[in-house]
Amino acid sequence: MSTDSLSQVFGALADPTRRAILAQLAEGPRAVGELANPYDLSGPAITKHLKVLERAGLVRVERLAQRRPRALRAEPLREAQVWLERYRRFWEQSFDRLDAYLQELQTEDTPDA
Amino acid sequence: MHDAMLAPFRLRVWTPSDTQIAMERSFRAPRELVFRCFLEPEALARWWGPYGTRLRIEAHEPRVGGRWRFVCVDGADEYGFGGEFLEIAPHERIVQTFEFDGAPGHVSTESAEFHQEGELTRVTFLTTFANKAARDAMLSSGMEEGAGQSYDRLEAWLFEIAGAPKFEIVRRFDAPVRRVWEAWTVREQFARWWGPASTQNEVLEYDFRPGGRVLYRMVLPNGGSMGGMFLMREIVAPERFTYLVCFADDSGHVVRAPFAENWPLATHNVVTLSDLGGKTELRLESVPLTSQEGEAELFRSMFGSMQAGFGGTLDLLQAYLAGRE
């Protein structure tokens, strides 16, 4: 994933309404009208959120029916999760190395038997 | 380059007239919270005074006509200050007189004004002296550095109490605190372990002192590289240090994170070492400092509400994917 699209994915996920929309779509495709209901948002407001999600590649438009329901695309989320784990690993790896270094010092300290 | 983004989080000092000193700094915290930290003794004890000092409050009556007297303890040295409250406008303004034990009879008047600006609170300080000589004496006393350090400590305290989303890592090491402390604070030792194993890491500059900076570069297996910088703040050996982390070029200019446009330009970090009977527990806490649009939200979405928000979404997603297999 390019840095731009990763940024878009995290940007899209940063909003609680958009996360709630994704959670709904995880249960199955939904028409725009069905999505608007729980959030007390106008149709245009929901459409705006959906556009952000579509740009991030998290939502696609199903062409099957007249209703053109929205469906979840999971791949970018999976990559975002990989990236998050990598960020945590960045620190963990450093601390693993610190651990190893400290062990080395301890060994040097121990006088030979 | 984005060096200017850090400017609000440094103390700016100027002289609006021959008898005045003005200072300004912003904090990423609500105005009410910042205001309270100027009046509540528990908070004042955590930040009032330069790095490494301790505060003894001998009098504190925050009402018009009330007295205040603070003693700043720096090792064996003590510095006393005191005065009287002239005005307290909740969340907006505090005006008081100020007198230093070392210059008895020289009374100045100082005000602090609190302005909420989005997620930031900007505080403006104005001190008016009896004459130019008194003002100049204060300017040459190192007061700028001392005040700057004091407000850095306030910032750290605000992050501690604000309940802001944090990225947090706790690790235990089978080595005494002194060893772990040296592994951070001695260049040769730091260079031995800092950075991921998957990158070639190089320490370019290393000044692990209050106000100093540490500059490093990580070269990725694919040949790309990523630079970073610590800007050191308070260092209390051997238990705690505070620093900002930025992505940076080789000359130490702040740059955007290479992996995400909205990653905060700077994070505020505290490392605390605790002695567990010969072993050491290390705690690293990180919060976003800069607050350009989307930055804090991005950080929050990633770390702050992992369980309730983003993490919850991923759980649902995993269930969804499992259901399709």
Side-chain angles (χ1 to χ4, degrees):
Chain A
M1 200 187 308
S2 78
T3 60
D4 278 7
S5 57
L6 190 56
S7 233
Q8 279 187 343
V9 171
F10 281 124
L13 291 171
D15 182 85
T17 307
R18 290 197 287 272
R19 289 201 297 269
I21 291 174
L22 287 179
Q24 278 221 332
L25 292 178
E27 292 163 8
R30 291 267 197 289
V32 178
E34 291 174 284
L35 283 169
N37 290 336
Y39 314 110
D40 217 18
L41 288 175
S42 65
I46 285 288
T47 307
K48 224 169 131 187
H49 282 305
L50 281 169
K51 282 239 167 68
V52 176
L53 292 167
E54 280 168 29
R55 264 202 302 276
L58 290 162
V59 163
R60 66 159 188 273
V61 184
E62 305 260 83
R63 303 277 172 188
L64 300 168
Q66 289 289 334
R67 302 157 57 224
R68 302 178 69 215
R70 270 29 178 208
L72 184 67
R73 280 192 70 232
E75 295 73 17
L77 271 179
R78 205 183 269 140
E79 288 178 61
Q81 191 180 28
V82 165
W83 185 85
L84 269 185
E85 275 159 19
R86 203 182 298 153
Y87 184 73
R88 187 164 281 276
R89 277 301 296 162
F90 170 89
W91 294 98
E92 297 286 357
Q93 279 191 8
S94 267
F95 291 148
D96 287 349
R97 296 181 63 204
L98 173 57
D99 207 16
Y101 174 64
L102 291 166
Q103 292 302 328
E104 220 175 279
L105 289 178
Q106 295 283 89
T107 317
E108 281 169 21
D109 272 3
T110 314
D112 293 328
Chain B
M1 282 187 262
H2 301 274
D3 298 352
M5 289 301 297
L6 293 179
F9 308 102
R10 287 195 195 104
L11 190 67
R12 186 166 76 87
V13 180
W14 72 103
T15 50
S17 79
D18 275 356
T19 57
Q20 289 178 310
I21 300 173
M23 305 189 291
E24 189 170 77
R25 193 200 199 282
S26 292
F27 301 92
R28 211 171 77 76
R31 182 167 74 150
E32 290 68 23
L33 198 62
V34 180
F35 180 84
R36 273 172 47 197
C37 286
F38 278 77
L39 283 189
E40 290 181 0
E42 302 75 28
L44 285 162
R46 293 301 295 261
W47 69 265
W48 204 94
Y51 293 157
T53 61
R54 216 163 41 73
L55 179 66
R56 192 170 71 235
I57 297 178
E58 296 190 342
H60 188 250
E61 305 154 3
R63 55 178 165 77
V64 173
R67 302 284 310 166
W68 66 275
R69 183 173 162 72
F70 293 174
V71 177
C72 188
V73 183
D74 183 5
D77 299 325
E78 296 198 347
Y79 306 90
F81 307 85
E84 182 186 329
F85 289 101
L86 301 179
E87 184 190 348
I88 297 172
H91 309 153
E92 286 179 9
R93 191 168 46 256
I94 300 169
V95 186
Q96 61 195 27
T97 64
F98 179 97
E99 192 177 351
F100 172 43
D101 284 2
H106 291 277
V107 181
S108 56
T109 305
E110 51 180 34
S111 67
E113 305 229 13
F114 304 79
H115 317 269
Q116 180 93 52
E117 290 170 346
E119 287 194 312
L120 301 185
T121 298
R122 180 168 53 87
V123 189
T124 310
F125 308 92
L126 183 67
T127 307
T128 306
F129 298 83
N131 51 54
K132 185 173 185 296
R135 196 277 310 266
D136 291 346
M138 180 58 93
L139 273 179
S140 59
S141 72
M143 141 289 189
E144 185 171 344
E145 191 185 8
Q149 294 186 355
S150 191
Y151 299 127
D152 286 352
R153 294 177 70 205
L154 170 58
E155 182 169 70
W157 176 240
L158 283 164
F159 281 131
E160 198 169 326
I161 60 172
K166 279 177 190 166
F167 172 74
E168 201 168 5
I169 286 190
V170 179
R171 275 288 289 255
R172 288 185 179 189
F173 297 99
D174 189 10
V177 167
R178 180 181 56 80
R179 279 270 197 244
V180 182
W181 182 262
E182 285 171 1
W184 281 93
T185 56
V186 176
R187 178 175 185 153
E188 294 67 33
Q189 299 199 29
F190 181 77
R192 289 280 293 273
W193 66 270
W194 168 252
S198 53
T199 57
Q200 286 284 336
N201 312 305
E202 193 185 346
V203 178
L204 305 174
E205 269 182 43
Y206 185 89
D207 185 8
F208 203 99
R209 287 180 301 181
R213 75 177 183 189
V214 174
L215 196 60
Y216 50 87
R217 186 172 46 201
M218 298 167 277
V219 180
L220 306 161
N222 67 12
S225 80
M226 202 156 55
M229 174 164 72
F230 294 175
L231 298 171
M232 304 310 302
R233 291 195 163 175
E234 187 172 30
I235 300 173
V236 184
E239 61 192 51
R240 182 166 45 86
F241 55 91
T242 305
Y243 58 109
L244 307 184
V245 177
C246 310
F247 285 89
D249 64 19
D250 285 357
S251 334
H253 294 295
V254 179
V255 297
R256 274 277 165 212
F259 49 78
E261 285 165 20
N262 281 340
W263 187 256
L265 280 169
T267 54
H268 182 277
N269 301 266
V270 183
V271 169
T272 312
L273 304 182
S274 316
D275 178 18
L276 303 177
K279 297 178 198 264
T280 303
E281 183 179 270
L282 182 152
R283 178 181 297 270
L284 166 73
E285 292 169 296
S286 180
V287 293
L289 177 70
T290 51
S291 65
Q292 264 189 315
E293 200 180 345
E295 287 186 356
E297 266 298 304
L298 174 65
F299 199 87
R300 230 184 328 266
S301 75
M302 290 171 64
F303 302 120
S305 52
M306 290 278 275
Q307 300 311 314
F310 190 41
T313 305
L314 291 171
D315 289 346
L316 274 164
L317 174 74
Q318 266 152 10
Y320 163 77
L321 293 170
R324 285 181 58 172
E325 273 162 17

